[in-house]
Amino acid sequence: RRSPSAHPAVDSSYSCCASSSSSSSAAASSAAGAEGMTYKSAGVDIDAGAELVRRIQKLTKGDVSGGFGGLYPFGDSYLVAGTDGVGTKLKLAFLLDKHDTIGVDLVAMSVNDVITVGALPMFFLDYFATSKLDVDMAESVIAGIVDGCRQSSCTLLGGETAEMPGFYAEGEYDLSGFAVGSVKQDALV
């Protein structure tokens, strides 16, 4: 279910952690200042994330924008791609044993990255990884992804299911998703 691309991206997108710029670190810290919670106190190193983005930009010879969605010219439009996961919200799904809504959130995270430039989402792909496949749980997660795609007016085009014995804690999994949309070049936000 994978399609390798031979075409280089014109304007790629990389982000890490909660932000792709170190100036956001101070803003994030002050926004939560009243309660004392910061990304740093939660163990997230935004500066390390920004450094990774800088290094990726160097590897890609400056073609990386650092924005939320990568742009690829296609006729008079851009294809816009975004990828994301649901992060620590997975822990809530595990604690509550509720897996039918985490997929909606997964789609939303990637689709939101695509619509920030004015693109309309077209399709979505998912990645579901676990140590031992629980078919009922996986079906519940995928049902949520399908619901999220319907809410976002995009198609679940495909995905990947990876079973890696011993890699994840029993009953746990990880998710990521990839959304692609399009926007006319003259309508880019």
Side-chain angles (χ1 to χ4, degrees):
R1 300 192 316 186
R2 298 172 198 240
S3 300
S5 173
H7 302 288
V10 168
D11 191 7
S12 301
S13 167
Y14 286 90
S15 62
C16 180
C17 309
S19 169
S20 60
S21 72
S22 59
S23 64
S24 295
S25 177
S29 295
S30 66
E35 300 182 18
M37 182 61 136
T38 64
Y39 283 115
K40 188 172 187 169
S41 69
V44 176
D45 188 341
I46 291 177
D47 293 330
E51 175 62 16
L52 176 61
V53 169
R54 188 192 67 73
R55 291 181 186 190
I56 292 169
Q57 289 171 333
K58 186 177 175 183
L59 291 170
T60 60
K61 299 176 181 39
D63 290 339
V64 177
S65 70
F68 292 106
L71 305 175
Y72 186 87
F74 192 75
D76 65 347
S77 298
Y78 288 110
L79 293 178
V80 183
T83 186
D84 213 332
V86 292
T88 56
K89 288 172 259 185
L90 281 172
K91 289 293 185 187
L92 294 174
F94 303 145
L95 287 170
L96 299 171
D97 194 27
K98 182 161 177 58
H99 306 281
D100 61 333
T101 57
I102 196 74
V104 175
D105 192 54
L106 178 66
V107 175
M109 297 301 94
S110 295
V111 166
N112 283 346
D113 289 350
V114 167
I115 65 175
T116 60
V117 295
L120 295 175
M122 298 173 5
F123 59 86
F124 185 83
L125 298 120
D126 70 273
Y127 176 79
F128 178 94
T130 188
S131 285
K132 180 162 179 46
L133 185 60
D134 176 330
V135 175
D136 292 332
M137 182 187 296
E139 179 186 20
S140 184
V141 172
I142 302 301
I145 293 171
V146 169
D147 185 29
C149 286
R150 286 185 184 132
Q151 291 181 37
S152 301
S153 300
C154 66
T155 299
L156 177 59
L157 193 59
E160 175 73 16
T161 302
E163 189 171 18
M164 299 179 283
F167 195 79
Y168 296 95
E170 184 177 336
E172 293 191 359
Y173 53 86
D174 198 8
L175 295 172
S176 59
F178 315 89
V180 175
S182 69
V183 61
K184 296 284 187 191
Q185 289 182 4
D186 61 3
L188 191 66
V189 175

